[in-house]
């Protein structure tokens, strides 16, 4: 196991550093202190060929100009908050409207757009990057001074553990995730339409035309949203289900996980033989199939396009602050918020 770091670029006069963790079995993870962005994740295919399986760039400028949250930590609140405001104890908090009339992914300068302090921790059988950041009271409209810690730990079992922790000096909201776009084909050789996904989820959140949850949970039974026995992503592109059409011919939906930490999410690319197993302690996962990816830029020489990557954003349910039936994203004063997700790669 080893870690090395190098200067990646500069942002507003601040140096951006890239940290690369390498294990003994061909897995490498590169993360930036800018947005805790996972910019590269290299794993072998069934023939031992080591290739990158995430969407990312090699310059800060490209992230600033083009990135739809590639690889980034998302917060204070992942997903949309309808009307870009919420009420806590009779006080209304107004947030940035960075998605039409709504608030998305923590606002204009969310966790994905700040530079985090970084510490490297080396153990016998793992290496970790520990990112910390103090989000000040009123930042992006949210209450409370919040101390955040994000840890990425690479093991020799080809597993990356993502752990989030937050403590606020006032009651506030927290729902943190990572917005990595996966593409298991390797170096973006193909899109993700032939990836097969297995998801232990029998319900998903119905969205309205502005991608805001209506509060209704729909059954997956007999639909293109039923991944319980495995299903190719392209099914949701070709389906006529109103919710697939509404998501731009694909998926952009929160799924309620029926189980946690029981191999609840498995993504397979048959041609490369790569498998990703995701386990989490979070109640939900947003499956986003890159239906809004722009076509006006390249990603390491590959023209960006719809379906070039998919996100498995393990998290609380979007707009939970406005949906009493969803698990709460309210964090009390001095309460320790924690969330953990593991990505295990196999061939
Ligand atoms: C679009 O609706 C989608 C979001 O789910 C995604 O996170 C974002 O693009 C990058 O707004």
């Amino acid at each position: 196991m080893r870690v090395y770091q190098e200067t990646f670029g500069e942002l507003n006069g601040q140096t951006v550093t890239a940290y690369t963790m390498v294990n003994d079995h061909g897995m490498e993870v590169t993360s930036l202190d800018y947005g805790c962005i996972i910019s590269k994740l290299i794993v072998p295919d069934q023939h031992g060929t080591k290739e990158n399986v995430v969407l990312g760039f090699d310059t800060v400028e490209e992230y600033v100009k083009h990135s739809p949250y590639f690889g980034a930590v998302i917060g204070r609140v992942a997903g949309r908050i309808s009307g870009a405001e919420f009420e806590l104890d009779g006080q209304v908090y107004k947030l940035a409207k960075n998605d039409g009339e709504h608030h998305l992914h923590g606002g204009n300068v969310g966790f994905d757009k700040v530079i985090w302090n970084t510490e490297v921790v080396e153990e016998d059988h793992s290496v970790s990057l520990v990112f910390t950041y103090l989000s000040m009271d009123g930042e992006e409209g949210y209450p409370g001074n919040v101390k955040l810690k994000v840890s990425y730990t690479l093991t020799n079992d080809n597993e990356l553990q993502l752990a989030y922790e937050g403590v606020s000096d006032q009651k506030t909201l927290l729902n943190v995730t990572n917005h990595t776009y996966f593409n298991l084909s390797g170096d973006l050789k193909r899109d993700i339409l032939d990836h097969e996904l297995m998801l232990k989820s029998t319900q998903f959140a119905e969205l309205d035309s502005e991608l805001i949850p209506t509060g209704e949970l729909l059954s997956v039974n007999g639909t293109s949203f039923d991944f319980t026995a495995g299903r190719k992503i392209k099914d949701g592109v070709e389906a006529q289900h109103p919710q697939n059409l509404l998501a731009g011919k694909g998926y952009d939906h929160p799924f309620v996980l029926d189980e946690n930490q029981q191999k609840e999410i498995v993504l397979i690319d048959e041609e490369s033989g790569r498998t990703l197993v995701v386990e989490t302690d979070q109640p939900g996962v947003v499956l986003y199939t890159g239906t809004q990816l722009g076509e006006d830029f390249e990603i390491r020489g590959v023209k960006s396009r719809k379906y070039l990557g998919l996100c498995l954003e393990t998290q609380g349910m979007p707009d939970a602050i406005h949906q009493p039936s969803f698990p709460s994203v309210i964090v009390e004063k001095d309460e320790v918020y924690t969330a953990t997700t593991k990505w295990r790669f196999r061939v």
Side-chain angles (χ1 to χ4, degrees):
M1 308 287 295
R2 64 192 174 90
V3 191
Y4 63 89
Q5 65 188 73
E6 54 198 346
T7 297
F8 185 78
E10 200 177 283
L11 180 73
N12 308 327
Q14 268 192 285
T15 298
V16 173
T17 303
Y19 298 81
T20 300
M21 302 184 282
V22 185
N23 76 4
D24 302 336
H25 303 287
M27 183 168 168
E28 293 183 28
V29 181
T30 298
S31 178
L32 313 180
D33 52 8
Y34 173 53
C36 309
I37 287 173
I38 294 173
S39 61
K40 201 177 280 185
L41 198 159
I42 292 172
V43 287
D45 69 2
Q46 58 193 334
H47 306 299
T49 307
K50 290 166 56 176
E51 296 166 314
N52 173 48
V53 297
V54 300
L55 274 58
F57 295 117
D58 293 321
T59 67
V60 173
E61 292 71 17
E62 288 171 292
Y63 276 105
V64 171
K65 192 170 177 196
H66 300 304
S67 175
Y69 307 96
F70 284 168
V73 70
I74 303 291
R76 292 195 190 185
V77 174
R80 287 169 172 83
I81 294 180
S82 58
E85 64 176 48
F86 64 90
E87 185 179 324
L88 277 185
D89 298 338
Q91 167 123 21
V92 174
Y93 296 91
K94 294 196 177 294
L95 307 173
K97 290 187 177 180
N98 62 323
D99 186 67
E101 286 304 301
H102 310 298
H103 177 81
L104 175 67
H105 291 343
N108 294 316
V109 185
F111 292 170
D112 61 296
K113 294 186 179 61
V114 297
I115 293 180
W116 293 61
N117 300 313
T118 311
E119 186 194 340
V120 174
V121 179
E122 298 185 73
E123 311 276 358
D124 292 346
H125 304 289
S126 68
V127 288
S128 298
L129 300 175
V130 180
F131 302 97
T132 52
Y133 175 66
L134 173 61
S135 176
M136 302 303 283
D137 180 31
E139 191 170 286
E140 286 302 318
Y142 292 94
N145 294 294
V146 187
K147 290 178 183 170
L148 281 305
K149 182 165 78 168
V150 174
S151 306
Y152 294 160
T153 299
L154 177 64
T155 74
N156 259 332
D157 189 26
N158 277 17
E159 177 175 281
L160 183 69
Q161 298 163 6
L162 302 93
Y164 311 108
E165 187 179 299
V167 181
S168 175
D169 63 3
Q170 289 175 53
K171 192 174 192 177
T172 190
L173 308 186
L174 275 177
N175 178 31
V176 183
T177 191
N178 179 280
H179 206 292
T180 288
Y181 291 64
F182 295 104
N183 181 324
L184 302 182
S185 68
D187 293 344
L188 308 188
K189 284 198 290 294
R190 295 177 295 280
D191 63 27
I192 49 92
L193 293 178
D194 276 325
H195 281 31
E196 181 173 347
L197 177 68
M198 190 289 292
L199 203 46
K200 291 184 180 177
S201 170
T202 50
Q203 290 185 306
F204 68 100
E206 179 187 52
L207 302 178
D208 69 14
S209 60
E210 296 178 334
L211 302 175
I212 299 292
T214 63
E216 283 302 305
L217 295 180
L218 303 179
S219 168
V220 303
N221 286 346
T223 76
S224 50
F225 286 77
D226 185 352
F227 291 94
T228 53
R231 174 182 297 277
K232 291 213 170 175
I233 296 298
K234 64 181 168 190
D235 289 3
V237 174
E238 295 159 0
Q240 292 306 305
H241 193 297
Q243 288 286 309
N244 288 128
L245 297 174
L246 176 139
K249 292 175 75 79
Y251 301 91
D252 194 350
H253 290 79
F255 286 78
V256 178
L257 290 170
D258 297 343
E259 283 191 285
N260 284 112
Q261 291 149 335
Q262 302 283 332
K263 297 189 177 68
E264 57 268 33
I265 305 171
V266 179
L267 184 67
I268 298 168
D269 174 50
E270 206 173 314
E271 192 156 341
S272 68
R274 291 190 178 96
T275 294
L276 165 62
V277 178
V278 178
E279 296 184 335
T280 184
D281 61 5
Q282 292 302 290
V285 57
V286 169
L287 169 63
Y288 172 53
T289 50
T291 37
Q292 296 190 33
L293 276 173
E295 303 193 341
D296 54 343
F297 61 92
E298 290 191 349
I299 305 169
R300 293 182 176 126
V302 176
K303 189 168 169 43
S304 173
R305 62 186 191 274
K306 262 182 137 176
Y307 314 124
L308 197 53
L310 68 81
C311 302
L312 297 166
E313 304 161 47
T314 47
Q315 61 186 271
M317 297 296 279
D319 207 25
I321 190 63
H322 295 125
Q323 295 295 346
S325 64
F326 289 1
S328 174
V329 295
I330 294 173
V331 178
E332 298 295 337
K333 177 180 183 304
D334 299 332
E335 176 189 346
V336 180
Y337 162 88
T338 61
T340 307
T341 292
K342 294 176 181 174
W343 301 341
R344 200 159 48 244
F345 291 87
R346 293 285 181 271
V347 289

